[in-house]
């Protein structure tokens, strides 16, 4: 089968009675991605199934597991992944002091750095790359992600993922040679394990992944929050004509002034990978207003001018629906540790999952209670902050 499929054969749309389109947008963030799994857990229990999942890095892995399984298997496969990558703790974190929990986190993170994560990545050992020497691009990293390829092939049914009628999947990666962001979309091509791997190939820890002859690194190096993929999408939703976009933020751009090396490194990561959604939203709103202004002018033209072929694109501008962005923010501060994204402590993973579940359950209740606020709006885009993040 050809690697690329036409949009016509890959179209995935809701039926006319299914309601608004639901998109789930997942950032990159390593071990913090357990929070995303908890968010999906609550969506799953509430029957709030996404029509489209967009992910980068760990978000791409979670997204592939969600889109690449039948409904009855999605949650169990997510749990299997996070249980596999969870690192055993020295103690029961629910029964010790905060200081002991911090020590446990330091120890598990150090152990991950030295020995890797089962089913995810393993150290390459002494090699020329570590000495600054030239190696093949696919070997240019400190860790080998071959275990992740095996895990994805076991937990993701790629035949199901690429079959018509399922959840649409979009993952992003950055082309190494030119620094451009490329979106791999199941509406446009067959998605394979290499696309998911490419989206999470963060250097120098992980080597670039070759797709169709080109090398790719983690999409988060270019844009860690793929909200713009949803905002730029030209596909129209049926029925109510609007989209509910659940945006899961794992990094916090706002924080205290750092005073130690670890705090500086932590702030650097937060600022680098935090959501740029406000900028994307403002750009979208400006374009939305321009489209409506152009359509208003188009309607004032006489019929003989409206029929001109170069003005055909103006006909559908009035059909653009409303995008409701429902933002969920991971609230764990992780003691301001710069290594929080490689803190695969099983206790930390469980806490993040539980917090994502609790936040999304609260959000689902708010959506049900205020359903009338999620219809079409003249604003074009509405942002909903329904949960105040907890801290840990």
């Amino acid at each position: 089968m050809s690697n690329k499929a036409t949009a016509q054969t890959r179209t995935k749309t809701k039926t006319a009675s299914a309601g608004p389109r639901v998109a789930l947008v997942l950032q990159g963030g390593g071990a913090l991605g357990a929070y995303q799994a908890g968010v999906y857990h609550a969506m799953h229990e509430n029957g709030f199934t996404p029509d489209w999942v967009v992910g980068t890095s760990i978000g791409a892995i979670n997204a592939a597991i969600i889109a690449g399984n039948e409904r009855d298997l999605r949650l169990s496969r997510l749990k299997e992944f996070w249980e596999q990558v969870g690192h055993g703790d020295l103690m029961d974190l629910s029964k010790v002091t905060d200081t002991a929990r911090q020590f446990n986190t330091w120890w598990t993170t150090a152990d991950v750095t030295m020995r890797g994560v089962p089913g995810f990545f393993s150290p390459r050992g002494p090699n020329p790359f570590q000495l600054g020497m030239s190696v093949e691009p696919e070997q240019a990293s400190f860790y080998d992600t071959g275990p992740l390829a095996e895990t994805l092939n076991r937990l993701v049914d790629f035949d199901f993922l690429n079959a018509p009628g399922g959840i649409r999947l979009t993952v992003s990666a950055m082309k190494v040679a030119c620094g451009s962001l490329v979106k791999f979309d199941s509406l446009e091509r067959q998605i394979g394990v290499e696309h998911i791997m490419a989206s999470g190939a963060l250097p120098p820890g992980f080597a670039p992944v070759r797709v169709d002859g080109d090398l790719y690194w983690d999409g988060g190096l270019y844009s860690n929050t793929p909200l713009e993929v949803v905002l730029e999408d030209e596909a129209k939703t049926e029925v109510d004509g609007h989209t509910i976009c659940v945006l899961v933020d794992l990094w916090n751009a706002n924080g205290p002034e750092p005073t130690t090396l670890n705090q500086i490194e932590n702030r650097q990561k937060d600022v680098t990978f935090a959501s740029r959604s406000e900028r994307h939203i403002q750009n979208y709103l400006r374009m939305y207003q321009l489209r409506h202004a152009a359509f208003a002018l188009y309607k004032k033209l006489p019929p003989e001018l409206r029929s001109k072929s170069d003005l055909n694109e103006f006909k559908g501008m009035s059909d653009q629906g409303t995008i409701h962005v429902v933002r969920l923010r991971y609230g764990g501060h992780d003691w301001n540790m710069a290594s929080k994204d490689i803190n695969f402590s099983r206790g930390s993973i469980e806490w993040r999952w539980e917090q994502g579940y609790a936040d999304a359950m609260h959000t689902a209740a708010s959506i049900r209670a205020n359903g009338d606020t999620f219809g079409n709006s003249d604003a074009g885009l509405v942002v909903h902050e329904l949960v105040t993040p907890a801290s840990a």
Side-chain angles (χ1 to χ4, degrees), residues 42-334:
M43 293 176 66
H44 183 88
E45 286 193 357
N46 282 272
F48 200 52
T49 303
D51 306 289
W52 184 15
V53 190
V54 185
T56 297
S57 198
I58 193 65
I61 294 174
N62 282 330
I65 295 173
I66 293 169
N69 285 287
E70 297 184 22
R71 174 178 168 77
D72 292 345
L73 292 175
R74 289 170 193 156
L75 195 55
S76 63
R77 292 282 169 84
L78 268 181
K79 289 181 177 179
E80 184 176 347
F81 173 78
W82 286 102
E83 287 173 356
Q84 176 171 350
V85 301
H87 193 294
D89 294 308
L90 293 173
M91 61 202 79
D92 185 345
L93 300 189
S94 65
K95 297 180 180 179
V96 297
T97 64
D98 191 59
T99 300
R101 284 193 290 269
Q102 290 185 58
F103 174 78
N104 176 84
T105 298
W106 174 86
W107 179 83
T108 55
T109 302
D111 197 52
V112 162
T113 302
M114 291 185 292
R115 296 197 298 166
V117 175
F120 200 154
F121 58 89
S122 58
R124 290 191 183 275
N127 63 74
F129 175 76
Q130 294 178 335
L131 300 176
M133 300 172 64
S134 178
V135 297
E136 291 297 318
E138 292 88 344
Q139 306 296 318
S141 66
F142 295 117
Y143 298 96
D144 174 19
T145 54
L148 177 60
E150 296 176 4
T151 298
L152 288 171
N153 278 318
R154 188 180 77 253
L155 297 181
V156 179
D157 183 342
F158 285 97
D159 288 336
F160 178 84
L161 190 157
N162 288 297
I167 296 175
R168 177 182 177 185
L169 174 68
T170 305
V171 300
S172 58
M174 191 190 77
K175 189 176 291 188
V176 174
C178 62
S180 61
L181 189 69
V182 177
K183 304 174 184 69
F184 300 121
D185 193 324
S186 64
L187 284 187
E188 300 171 355
R189 63 159 66 217
Q190 297 285 305
I191 299 295
V193 67
E194 68 275 15
H195 302 101
I196 313 303
M197 299 281 289
S199 183
L202 183 64
F206 301 156
V209 175
R210 197 174 295 278
V211 179
D212 297 335
D214 294 312
L215 286 173
Y216 290 89
W217 272 330
D218 192 308
L221 293 172
Y222 186 99
S223 176
N224 197 43
T225 308
L227 175 63
E228 70 270 24
V229 176
V230 177
L231 300 183
E232 294 171 0
D233 186 57
E234 294 297 330
K236 294 183 174 65
T237 55
E238 287 84 6
V239 194
D240 297 332
H242 61 280
T243 296
I244 296 177
C245 175
V246 179
L247 172 65
V248 185
D249 282 342
L250 299 178
W251 303 89
N252 191 354
N254 300 314
E257 296 179 351
T259 59
T260 68
L261 176 60
N262 188 63
Q263 290 175 3
I264 289 173
E265 292 175 341
N266 178 60
R267 285 300 302 140
Q268 182 183 29
K269 277 189 176 181
D270 269 333
V271 171
T272 300
F273 296 116
S275 173
R276 302 294 185 267
S277 56
E278 286 80 6
R279 182 187 67 195
H280 298 314
I281 287 169
Q282 291 304 314
N283 289 340
Y284 176 84
L285 288 174
R286 282 193 290 269
M287 184 60 64
Y288 180 89
Q289 292 163 358
L290 286 172
R291 286 172 62 92
H292 273 255
F295 182 72
L297 292 173
Y298 171 78
K299 288 195 300 182
K300 293 181 179 180
L301 294 175
E304 61 272 17
L305 289 180
R306 290 189 202 177
S307 62
K308 288 183 175 295
S309 59
D310 57 344
L311 297 179
N312 284 337
E313 64 180 288
F314 289 92
K315 291 181 180 179
M317 285 188 172
S318 64
D319 297 330
Q320 191 174 22
T322 301
I323 298 178
H324 293 271
V325 177
V326 179
R327 194 190 332 244
L328 292 170
R329 301 175 187 265
Y330 170 64
H333 297 303
D334 298 276

